[in-house]
Amino acid sequence: MNSMKKLMCAGLALLMLAGCKDATAALANSKETLMTVGDTTVTKGDLYNMMFASVGANTANTDVMNRIAAQEIEVTEEMKEEALNQVQFYTMMYGDQFTEFLDSMGLTEDTYAEKYILPNTLTSKLVEKYTEENFDSLCGSFDPLKAIVLSFTTEDDASAALSALKDGSVTPAEAAKDNNSSSSGSEEVITMNTTSYDSAALSVLRSMSVDDGWTEVPSSDGATFYVLKLVSHDPAEFKEDAVKAISGITAVTNESNEFYLRKYNFHVYDINLYNGLKELNPDILIQDKPAPTPTPSAEAE
Amino acid sequence: MNNFVKKNWFVCLLIVLFAGISVFYIYDTNKGKLKGKTANGEGVVYSVGDTDVTATDFYNSMYESNGPAALFQKIVTTVADKSVETTDTMKENAKTQAESVISNYATNYPTNYREMLDSQLVSLGYSGMDGLEDYLVNVFKQTELTAQYVKEHFDELQVRNISYILVRFENGDSGEGTPTEDEQNRMAAVDHGLETGTFEDTAKALSEDPSSAPNGGVLGTLDANTTSLDSAFQAAALGLKEGEVSEWVYSSNFGYFRIKCNASTHEGMVKAYREQNSLTEDVEVTDGEIYSDLLNTYDTTLTNKVIWEKAEELGLTFPDPEVEKAVRAYAGMED
């Protein structure tokens, strides 16, 4: 009988384990007083809950990629200088408003550059790094080419520009300006993801060769007239620009992020953060995603 | 043992079955749960690479961008709650506004408006969506508290309710402060209008500022802390008493102004508010309503100052001087 009771108790204890909840990460020293207003005390735990609800998911979302980028990308003096220049630009643009903002956050221009601008630079470089390391396959997917595209609202303007360009008497920038176009006339990288020009123009560009020179193409709806020239269809010839253009594509950024999140085995252990990230950016929760299937070429290797 | 089992075989069978079902039940219930992790005795929020980010690490990270703001928000809500009594009007208005807020959230976030509202209210120090009406009552209290301060320090703040008529430069400012013939003609027309009619009607007909002319030239309520107005205009406005109209005021930025002071006393402010909002004597108006444009537009520094002073009266203490320094910096209340 005593054995029976012990066995029953053990069984009931086991059942209690069934009531386990999703995990939350408890904060140490949560009862520490941060401030008192009259008889109202605000503890570290109170503040943690308030901040978590307000910025928790966003903070984690940013911090994770910042931590990874800090591991993968070396900070150069050039990057630091660029970050500081950016802050000084803000100060010039926004004046007192920006200075007051820095004061309210307890920051200087240097610390703002270090804490906010530089990490942004590193995460951009991270995607560029991914793009460089997967350059051939990404070029296969996005087929970048380099071209000059001038847009005109009338056929007469487009034809006049085309004529001048074929003469060689003007630069593309001058041809645009002289014929009522706001196009810059600069070379640009166009990918399969580019939507800033009509599909008819893009289609012609992809079928052109460099020797074709300048050509005129009306848009599908006849409202815009393009004068365009293919500069190069070999991404190796303009690799740096191609990397920048491809790494600006959202799908590539997402692919890069997933790669690095898996590489660094990002995992969430707190259910509140998990739910917050699921709402904000479910793609970051790689723990919910199946591992990617190896490609045949990888298997062959 | 064998004898025991032989004797009680049926009970043992039940126990084995029961244990099996329990284990399966426990496994099935827990398989979808998020498993936790600890590092050095503290809960881990997430891990990346070799780094376990504990709750303390995460707290520090959030504190950098949000800590002082959240603490000051707590000061604001606590001070307002303790300093101003809740009135039936506040409760009724809060109830009405709450319905409107929920409706807006439901429109903008149809699938998860409750979670959004919950999260917003927790970040403000409330328990969740159930605290919405309390939050709205608190907002009314904040306005009333600051408005009460304005009333008590009216003369010190040099509060004025102002209207104006503008005659713009013909071709930009010549830099000499002398109107051209065209400008003089337009100014003369305004002078004639003011001699023969009201300031309001003259502004509607002749003021060259399209934003204020339709309202009879009403600018609103400003004080000595206002920084967003033309300095010449502001200096002239603050120098006027109730009912006075200035001579022509030259502004290098805009042209020439005639400025009228509609109110330079609290009683004048109440009267001006009623007139400008077409409210009869029987309609109750609160100090918060009367001074809302001052607090929300022309002197936005006042609320923080009032809240901080009141908090210090109630007893505001920070065990950590660094925390106090950060919250003061955020609130614009450095020593």
Side-chain angles (χ1 to χ4, degrees):
Chain A
M1 202 55 197
N2 272 341
S3 307
M4 211 84 66
K5 283 184 192 169
K6 282 179 191 170
L7 279 168
M8 292 300 289
C9 286
L12 284 168
L14 269 177
L15 269 178
M16 281 170 66
L17 287 174
C20 278
K21 294 188 248 183
D22 293 302
T24 51
L27 176 70
N29 304 324
S30 62
K31 298 214 185 309
E32 180 186 321
T33 299
L34 288 178
M35 74 176 186
T36 309
V37 186
D39 57 3
T40 300
T41 301
V42 178
T43 65
K44 206 171 168 184
D46 295 332
L47 182 62
Y48 182 76
N49 292 338
M50 285 172 71
M51 293 193 296
F52 204 116
S54 175
V55 298
N58 268 309
T59 301
N61 193 48
T62 306
D63 277 0
V64 168
M65 295 316 299
N66 285 349
R67 284 176 187 275
I68 293 173
Q71 299 277 322
E72 291 279 334
I73 308 291
E74 194 187 327
V75 177
T76 63
E77 286 306 314
E78 195 191 330
M79 286 182 200
K80 287 184 192 173
E81 205 180 309
E82 209 178 294
L84 199 53
N85 286 342
Q86 185 69 31
V87 176
Q88 285 165 352
F89 173 74
Y90 290 154
T91 306
M92 189 192 71
M93 271 292 286
Y94 302 108
D96 285 346
Q97 217 174 334
F98 185 67
T99 319
E100 281 164 16
F101 163 73
L102 288 180
D103 287 342
S104 75
M105 299 285 286
L107 295 167
T108 61
E109 284 187 355
D110 284 345
T111 53
Y112 183 80
E114 187 192 324
K115 284 181 190 301
Y116 295 100
I117 307 290
L118 197 53
N120 254 348
T121 304
L122 295 184
T123 52
S124 299
K125 296 284 182 206
L126 187 67
V127 184
E128 286 180 17
K129 181 179 177 181
Y130 177 82
T131 305
E132 278 177 19
E133 289 175 356
N134 296 276
F135 190 66
D136 291 341
S137 68
L138 287 170
C139 284
S141 301
F142 294 101
D143 192 19
L145 54 84
K146 202 166 212 187
I148 304 174
V149 180
L150 310 179
S151 308
F152 301 88
T153 51
T154 69
E155 194 171 4
D156 287 345
D157 284 337
S159 299
L162 179 67
S163 185
L165 285 164
K166 280 187 167 174
D167 276 345
S169 57
V170 295
T171 64
E174 285 164 351
K177 193 175 166 211
D178 293 344
N179 294 286
N180 305 307
S181 167
S182 56
S183 301
S184 65
S186 308
E187 294 179 356
E188 59 182 295
V189 175
I190 289 170
T191 70
M192 292 299 286
N193 224 55
T194 302
T195 54
S196 45
Y197 301 117
D198 182 75
S199 54
L202 295 175
S203 186
V204 165
L205 253 183
R206 293 201 174 281
S207 64
M208 283 171 74
S209 74
V210 173
D211 296 331
D212 290 338
W214 290 98
T215 194
E216 187 186 324
V217 179
S219 63
S220 322
D221 61 2
T224 309
F225 299 87
Y226 297 100
V227 173
L228 38 85
K229 177 182 171 185
L230 178 70
V231 174
S232 171
H233 208 154
D234 180 0
E237 291 178 358
F238 53 94
K239 188 170 180 182
E240 200 180 315
D241 290 340
V243 164
K244 276 199 163 47
I246 292 172
S247 61
I249 296 171
T250 304
V252 174
T253 303
N254 290 344
E255 198 178 297
S256 164
N257 286 348
E258 182 168 338
F259 171 78
Y260 285 110
L261 287 166
R262 285 193 189 283
K263 181 177 174 182
Y264 285 85
N265 200 21
F266 170 61
H267 193 99
V268 177
Y269 294 96
D270 179 288
I271 188 61
N272 295 317
L273 181 61
Y274 178 90
N275 289 337
L277 285 173
K278 195 154 186 161
E279 193 62 45
L280 177 73
N281 179 18
D283 286 337
I284 202 174
L285 295 170
I286 51 157
Q287 65 208 68
D288 287 348
K289 295 185 177 184
T293 316
T295 56
S297 57
E299 279 175 351
E301 282 165 28
Chain B
M1 180 65 175
N2 280 342
N3 284 339
F4 174 82
V5 172
K6 278 181 190 169
K7 262 188 174 176
N8 303 287
W9 67 270
F10 186 67
V11 173
C12 290
L13 181 65
L14 282 178
I15 290 169
V16 167
L17 273 174
F18 178 74
I21 291 167
S22 301
V23 167
F24 174 75
Y25 178 72
I26 290 162
Y27 166 75
D28 192 55
T29 307
N30 288 329
K31 71 178 178 190
K33 301 276 191 254
L34 190 71
K35 290 185 182 35
K37 184 179 181 184
T38 56
N40 301 323
E42 202 184 348
V44 172
V45 177
Y46 67 85
S47 67
V48 58
D50 295 330
T51 305
D52 287 326
V53 177
T54 62
T56 297
D57 297 329
F58 198 51
Y59 170 94
N60 291 337
S61 201
M62 291 190 291
Y63 185 87
E64 267 191 29
S65 63
N66 191 243
L71 282 172
F72 184 65
Q73 178 60 41
K74 193 67 183 169
I75 292 174
V76 170
T77 52
T78 305
V79 165
D81 257 339
K82 288 180 183 303
S83 307
V84 182
E85 272 195 37
T86 309
T87 63
D88 289 337
T89 308
M90 284 183 192
K91 284 186 201 172
E92 281 161 27
N93 289 343
K95 194 162 183 256
T96 310
Q97 270 202 29
E99 287 168 9
S100 175
V101 167
I102 292 171
S103 173
N104 283 338
Y105 266 76
T107 303
N108 289 318
Y109 310 103
T111 55
N112 62 339
Y113 73 94
R114 285 182 184 279
E115 289 82 4
M116 292 293 295
L117 253 181
D118 248 351
S119 181
Q120 293 279 353
L121 286 160
V122 169
S123 75
L124 293 167
Y126 293 88
S127 58
M129 198 164 145
D130 291 341
L132 177 57
E133 285 185 31
D134 290 338
Y135 162 73
L136 290 167
V137 166
N138 190 272
V139 170
F140 299 144
K141 288 184 174 185
Q142 291 171 35
T143 309
E144 284 306 313
L145 179 65
T146 315
Q148 185 64 29
Y149 178 92
V150 172
K151 204 167 140 185
E152 289 166 5
H153 296 81
F154 195 99
D155 291 337
E156 180 193 324
L157 290 168
Q158 294 180 261
V159 181
R160 298 286 185 274
N161 184 274
I162 296 294
S163 296
Y164 66 92
I165 298 169
L166 170 64
V167 165
R168 289 190 183 277
F169 292 124
E170 183 186 357
N171 288 312
D173 181 25
S174 63
E176 291 166 17
T178 311
T180 64
E181 192 180 334
D182 173 72
E183 288 161 9
Q184 282 180 34
N185 289 338
R186 286 183 276 132
M187 289 159 77
V190 168
D191 290 337
H192 179 70
L194 291 176
E195 281 160 20
T196 57
T198 65
F199 192 96
E200 186 186 349
D201 289 341
T202 309
K204 280 181 182 172
L206 297 173
S207 179
E208 294 167 13
D209 181 346
S211 63
S212 62
N215 294 330
V218 173
L219 169 72
T221 306
L222 55 100
D223 67 9
N225 293 326
T226 301
T227 54
S228 56
L229 298 177
D230 179 84
S231 54
F233 179 99
Q234 182 170 351
L238 293 179
L240 294 172
K241 289 276 182 271
E242 206 156 295
E244 288 179 351
V245 177
S246 72
E247 294 304 318
W248 286 103
V249 175
Y250 162 68
S251 159
S252 59
N253 291 317
F254 297 100
Y256 301 90
F257 291 101
R258 289 294 294 269
I259 304 169
K260 184 185 173 203
C261 177
N262 303 311
S264 61
T265 62
H266 173 69
E267 293 71 26
M269 287 292 308
V270 177
K271 188 173 170 227
Y273 182 81
R274 287 187 184 284
E275 282 170 7
Q276 289 163 16
N277 291 280
S278 307
L279 298 172
T280 51
E281 290 288 327
D282 58 312
V283 174
E284 189 189 326
V285 292
T286 63
D287 291 339
E289 285 167 328
I290 292 164
Y291 294 108
S292 64
D293 69 333
L294 174 69
L295 304 180
N296 295 326
T297 308
Y298 293 110
D299 189 354
T300 54
T301 63
L302 209 45
T303 303
N304 283 7
K305 177 175 150 62
V306 170
I307 292 286
W308 195 273
E309 281 183 15
K310 201 69 188 177
E312 286 184 326
E313 260 178 51
L314 291 169
L316 175 63
T317 59
F318 297 89
D320 184 345
E322 288 303 314
V323 172
E324 180 177 359
K325 188 178 165 192
V327 178
R328 277 185 176 275
Y330 177 79
M333 293 285 117
E334 287 96 326
D335 277 330

